[in-house]
Amino acid sequence: MTTTISNNGNQLIAAFAGRLDTAAAVQTAEDVKPLLEASNKEIILDCTDLEYISSSGLRIFLTVRKEAATHGNKVIVRNINADIRQVFVMTGFVSLFEIQ
């Protein structure tokens, strides 16, 4: 599992690749810390190369969303595959995030 964060002007983009399972969640939580500290940015969670997400991974996404809201940031989830979309639908996350 890799997480790459890039700054694109008024956007912070976190690109996830691999399986965001329980084992990867500890490192991923560390990797996304810059997203939690940003102010006045649009945060993009790019899931183009994300193969799987566990409840631990969902918790990380939810933490990013909650912190973003306290800093006035918008969070957008992009490019989720059909399996991850199904997880988002079943857990209600589809209503918590803007999905593109």
Side-chain angles (χ1 to χ4, degrees), residues 41-57:
K41 296 274 188 175
E42 185 175 73
I43 297 173
I44 308 296
L45 304 178
D46 185 352
C47 300
T48 302
D49 296 319
L50 187 63
E51 301 165 7
Y52 171 83
I53 191 165
S54 70
S55 59
S56 299

Side-chain angles (χ1 to χ4, degrees), residues 77-95:
V77 178
R78 283 193 184 150
N79 304 318
I80 55 176
N81 66 32
D83 292 335
I84 295 172
R85 181 177 294 279
Q86 185 176 6
V87 170
F88 271 58
V89 169
M90 289 187 319
T91 59
F93 273 57
V94 73
S95 64

Side-chain angles (χ1 to χ4, degrees), residues 3-6 12-16 31-32 35 43-47:
T3 306
T4 307
I5 296 183
S6 58
L12 279 178
I13 303 168
F16 302 96
D31 294 342
V32 300
L35 303 179
I43 297 173
I44 308 296
L45 304 178
D46 185 352
C47 300

Side-chain angles (χ1 to χ4, degrees), residues 42 74-78 93-100:
E42 185 175 73
K74 179 179 179 180
V75 178
I76 299 170
V77 178
R78 283 193 184 150
F93 273 57
V94 73
S95 64
L96 297 176
F97 291 92
E98 179 179 334
I99 299 177
Q100 297 179 349

Side-chain angles (χ1 to χ4, degrees), residues 19-32:
R19 295 177 54 85
L20 183 44
D21 55 20
T22 303
V26 173
Q27 182 59 52
T28 303
E30 285 295 315
D31 294 342
V32 300

